[in-house]
Amino acid sequence: MRVSTQEFYQSSLYSLLNQQSTLNNLSQQLSTGNALINPTSNPVANAQVLDLNSKIANLGSYQQSNTYAQQDLGMSSSTLQSVGTLMNQVQQLAVQMNNATVNASDLHNAVTTMQGNLQQLVQLANTQDANGTYIYGGSQANTPPFQLQSDGKVQYLGDSSQKTLEIGPGLTTPISQAGNAVFMNTLAGNGTFTVSASGSNYQIPAGSSGTSVNAVGSTTLGPGSVLNSATANAEFVAKGVQFEVTISNGASGLTYNVTSGTGAVGSGQWTASSGSVVSGKYTPGQSIAIPATAGGSPFITVPTNGEPATGQTASFTLAASKPQSLFQTFSDLITAFSGGSGSPGANTRRSQDISNALANLNQFQTSLLSTQAQIGSQLQQAQSVQSLNTNLTQQFQTEQGKLADVSYPQVITQFQESSTALQAAQKAFVQVQGLSLFNYIS
């Protein structure tokens, strides 16, 4: 078999280039730490690495969303803690002002304080996150959701939606709370029914010659308690029943009477359809147990305080609780403190208004704690998912390393062997290239 000079050169060149390519590949592996420089060298491992890269990238995106979620949830929780602190301060102020000994200066200062508290509450409700969006505006997050009007009322301009983020494969979590659910729609009173006093309670009885601040008595009703929730819902909600509680100081002494009916008590639509359901002698400070019908079992009770002036009847209405905003409760206290202290019935009116406001604040406290517990649960879930995603990322990176990371001792050995082989091939090529028959013919 004869080997031509051209074949020799081509074969030698191919061998040298192959050795050089192998050496370059090994050199890149050593410099990058990646064993898969050439995808064709191990297509199966390369495909697996690409799949792992995609999974790691997705987990990184989830982790970033998770970080944002925890930041927003943490900010919301912190804001609601501040709201709770503010409410505690307002409760303390209300209790201080619920005293017949306070003077006009005390009440004026209390009004000023409450006006500042209302403004602070609006600021808290308009809290923005790090991106400048309002966390209690729902999907309307680019404008302040709560607007304080010139008349002291607060308008909600947001909606009822919640922002969500995907923090894991197929797992989303709310990262905000709708402002109307937090601040606007808590049921007033005790959450089932409210107590409201008739305006005539604070007027001097006709024919009375008394003009002192005590001429209208001091009768107030507390927020009351529910003994049977099913009956309470049936009466107040399903049937729309209202109860009128009257406490009188007449010829028969102190007595009380509770009438059940439909329509608004004191209006032309009021119908005492069930008539008197309970009545009896009245003792200041007693709790009046009220049945749905005469002779029935009581399903609610209302605590009392004080008594009417001679010849006076104090009237109160018990009706189904309706949603009320926390801002309105603050405004109600401003109104209560603005009533003065020297006019007949002023102290009694203020005491009743403060009692109602404190009942509302208690409902808001309960609602606030529930919301904070929900946020805490969402934060805990986000943290657990974050830990899971971190573990998965580490697992995928370990698998990726097994497939793509070089074994430095092995590659260094291969590099040295290939380098030696290339040098030997180059030297052999030079020596063979110098062999020629013409060197021996002279």
Side-chain angles (χ1 to χ4, degrees), residues 271-299:
T271 301
S273 53
S274 299
S276 176
V277 295
V278 66
S279 61
K281 291 292 184 180
Y282 170 71
T283 302
Q286 77 174 90
S287 289
I288 299 175
I290 302 174
T293 57
S297 299
F299 73 101

Side-chain angles (χ1 to χ4, degrees), residues 41-85:
S41 63
N42 193 340
V44 174
N46 188 71
Q48 292 175 332
V49 168
L50 291 176
D51 181 60
L52 289 171
N53 281 338
S54 177
K55 291 179 178 178
I56 292 172
N58 287 337
L59 286 173
S61 177
Y62 290 138
Q63 292 292 68
Q64 187 176 28
S65 295
N66 198 319
T67 298
Y68 291 149
Q70 291 187 50
Q71 289 175 348
D72 281 5
L73 289 171
M75 177 172 292
S76 183
S77 178
S78 176
T79 301
L80 293 184
Q81 287 178 359
S82 297
V83 172
T85 300

Side-chain angles (χ1 to χ4, degrees), residues 25 35-49 402-404:
N25 186 54
L36 300 177
I37 296 298
N38 184 3
T40 60
S41 63
N42 193 340
V44 174
N46 188 71
Q48 292 175 332
V49 168
K402 292 178 180 179
L403 293 168

Side-chain angles (χ1 to χ4, degrees), residues 308-336:
T310 302
Q312 184 196 28
T313 295
S315 177
F316 303 87
T317 299
L318 312 183
S321 296
K322 295 181 179 180
Q324 179 168 311
S325 74
L326 182 56
F327 308 101
Q328 184 59 52
T329 298
F330 277 34
S331 295
D332 289 345
L333 283 172
I334 293 174
T335 300

Side-chain angles (χ1 to χ4, degrees), residues 336-349:
F337 299 158
S338 301
S341 60
S343 60
N347 291 337
T348 304
R349 181 192 293 271

Side-chain angles (χ1 to χ4, degrees), residues 119-358:
Q119 293 176 350
Q120 184 179 352
L121 179 61
V122 173
Q123 291 175 350
L124 289 171
N126 285 332
T127 296
Q128 295 172 274
D129 63 15
N131 297 320
T133 59
Y134 293 89
I135 63 176
Y136 297 118
S139 63
Q140 309 299 318
N142 296 321
T143 57
F146 295 93
Q147 297 286 342
L148 180 60
Q149 310 296 312
S150 58
D151 59 0
K153 296 184 181 297
V154 175
Q155 183 180 7
Y156 180 60
L157 303 179
D159 56 32
S160 300
S161 64
Q162 288 182 285
K163 292 184 293 183
T164 61
L165 280 177
E166 190 172 8
I167 61 174
L171 178 62
T172 61
T173 185
I175 63 170
S176 68
Q177 293 72 44
N180 55 349
V182 177
F183 297 99
M184 304 295 290
N185 294 331
T186 299
L187 292 174
N190 58 24
T192 300
F193 66 90
T194 58
V195 175
S196 57
S198 170
S200 63
N201 293 3
Y202 315 113
Q203 299 173 1
I204 298 175
S208 173
S209 59
T211 58
S212 72
V213 294
N214 297 319
V216 296
S218 58
T219 313
T220 61
L221 256 62
S225 302
V226 176
L227 304 178
N228 188 314
S229 298
T231 302
N233 288 330
E235 293 296 314
F236 287 114
V237 180
K239 298 178 183 179
V241 171
Q242 293 190 3
F243 293 86
E244 183 181 29
V245 179
T246 57
I247 300 175
S248 303
N249 189 350
S252 302
L254 293 172
T255 60
Y256 73 90
N257 183 59
V258 181
T259 303
S260 171
T262 57
V265 173
S267 71
Q269 289 75 38
W270 167 250
T271 301
S273 53
S274 299
S276 176
V277 295
V278 66
S279 61
K281 291 292 184 180
Y282 170 71
T283 302
Q286 77 174 90
S287 289
I288 299 175
I290 302 174
T293 57
S297 299
F299 73 101
I300 59 173
T301 64
V302 286
T304 67
N305 185 58
E307 61 183 77
T310 302
Q312 184 196 28
T313 295
S315 177
F316 303 87
T317 299
L318 312 183
S321 296
K322 295 181 179 180
Q324 179 168 311
S325 74
L326 182 56
F327 308 101
Q328 184 59 52
T329 298
F330 277 34
S331 295
D332 289 345
L333 283 172
I334 293 174
T335 300
F337 299 158
S338 301
S341 60
S343 60
N347 291 337
T348 304
R349 181 192 293 271
R350 184 174 67 253
S351 180
Q352 183 64 57
D353 290 345
I354 289 176
S355 174
N356 292 342
L358 288 174

